[in-house]
Amino acid sequence: MAVDVNHEEFLTVVSQHADVGFERAEQATRAVLETLAERIDAGEARDLAERLPPELAPFIGTIEPAHGFDADEFIRRVAEREGIDTETAERHVTAVFAALARAVGPDEYDDLVAELSKDYWPLLARGPHVEVLSAEAFRQRVADRAGIDVAAADRAIDAVLETLAERIAGGEVDDLIDRLPQQLHEPLRRGGEHTGGKATRMSLEEFVDRVAEREGSGYDAALEHAQAVFMTLREAVGDEEFSDVTVELPREYVNALAPL
């Protein structure tokens, strides 16, 4: 079966999407395809290999059954294979998926997507959730809105998401994790672990106090930072998912943190 792109074209797509040189694009491609071979069914791996350039097809070869690990583990394995941090690995994974979408055609790519759980959606070039706000863009928007530097934005995001995960039910925390980039998962998981997945009742004042304590700021600054994070969260997950989150919150939260 003829392939839609050749080896050089595939790596060019990866290079452009990941903003790396050609050699690094090849390393990223190998790491992602080898990890994908561990994640998907052997039959689907063979189908993909048939559509890939012959230089890349061996990387996705497997006779093992699929291992159903989540997207965070996928990124961790890629990072380990490349010897890079997980944020860089996530960018590489997204770039290789973009090249895959172009190389194997829509039908075969849809078959691949069908094998992946929804927490992979932010990594995909096409699918149910493709307009993804990167962690870098998320923190920059929070910084711009709150008038703080990126380091302070990171602290604010961490504090607000951890506290939010304590306030809402575990199922909604999981849905947010599925919609957000990997670098934002840890505070959500941490908050969920604090409560065992059960929503903890707290007033808006208590919520902001917890944020202030976690980020080491005063109440007024924490309120402003929470507003910036909530506004950016709405942009990142979309109105429907954001509504599912805020419906669990008292009206005072919505009025103060996420006014329309």
Side-chain angles (χ1 to χ4, degrees):
M1 180 181 293
V3 299
D4 293 332
V5 301
N6 62 33
H7 182 226
E8 183 176 353
E9 290 169 337
F10 191 103
L11 295 184
T12 296
V13 173
V14 175
S15 175
Q16 291 173 343
H17 279 261
D19 193 23
V20 295
F22 205 76
E23 182 177 352
R24 174 60 78 178
E26 188 158 26
Q27 294 169 352
T29 297
R30 177 168 186 162
V32 173
L33 292 181
E34 287 179 346
T35 306
L36 188 60
E38 297 169 344
R39 176 59 177 78
I40 63 176
D41 180 77
E44 177 58 28
R46 285 194 299 272
D47 290 344
L48 289 173
E50 289 178 357
R51 301 301 305 270
L52 287 172
E55 297 90 343
L56 303 179
F59 299 151
I60 202 168
T62 182
I63 58 173
E64 298 293 327
H67 299 281
F69 48 83
D70 63 15
D72 284 355
E73 175 62 13
F74 191 101
I75 292 168
R76 189 199 66 77
R77 293 189 185 197
V78 171
E80 183 177 300
R81 282 188 161 106
E82 286 198 75
I84 57 178
D85 61 69
T86 55
E87 185 166 358
T88 303
E90 182 173 4
R91 189 169 67 250
H92 291 184
V93 171
T94 303
V96 175
F97 271 112
L100 269 173
R102 180 175 174 184
V104 303
D107 290 342
E108 190 57 52
Y109 188 77
D110 288 346
D111 289 345
L112 166 62
V113 170
E115 292 214 16
L116 302 175
S117 49
K118 65 180 182 178
D119 57 316
Y120 282 79
W121 291 353
L123 303 174
L124 303 180
R126 291 200 313 277
H129 185 61
V130 296
E131 296 298 328
V132 179
L133 193 64
S134 70
E136 181 180 1
F138 193 105
R139 66 170 65 100
Q140 188 60 59
R141 291 189 190 186
V142 170
D144 291 344
R145 284 187 164 116
I148 55 180
D149 61 31
V150 173
D154 277 334
R155 292 192 295 272
I157 292 165
D158 194 84
V160 173
L161 292 184
E162 182 174 354
T163 308
L164 178 61
E166 292 173 337
R167 180 59 186 80
I168 62 178
E172 282 304 324
V173 174
D174 291 339
D175 287 345
L176 285 177
I177 287 172
D178 288 341
R179 296 279 188 164
L180 292 171
Q182 189 263 348
Q183 287 73 32
L184 305 183
H185 294 180
E186 179 54 32
L188 290 167
R189 288 203 172 99
R190 197 163 58 239
E193 289 169 0
H194 293 165
T195 64
K198 296 181 179 180
T200 300
R201 293 174 63 89
M202 65 181 84
S203 67
L204 173 64
E205 183 176 357
E206 290 171 326
F207 184 96
V208 177
D209 279 339
R210 291 194 187 195
V211 171
E213 181 179 356
R214 284 179 166 135
E215 68 172 356
S217 70
Y219 183 92
D220 289 344
L223 177 60
E224 185 177 359
H225 298 170
Q227 291 169 340
V229 173
F230 267 67
M231 291 172 68
T232 307
L233 187 63
R234 173 188 280 144
E235 293 171 348
V237 303
D239 287 339
E240 183 176 352
E241 179 58 38
F242 188 75
S243 177
D244 288 344
V245 171
T246 56
V247 75
E248 296 197 25
L249 303 176
R251 175 55 56 182
E252 62 173 341
Y253 276 72
V254 179
N255 291 340
L257 302 179
L260 293 174

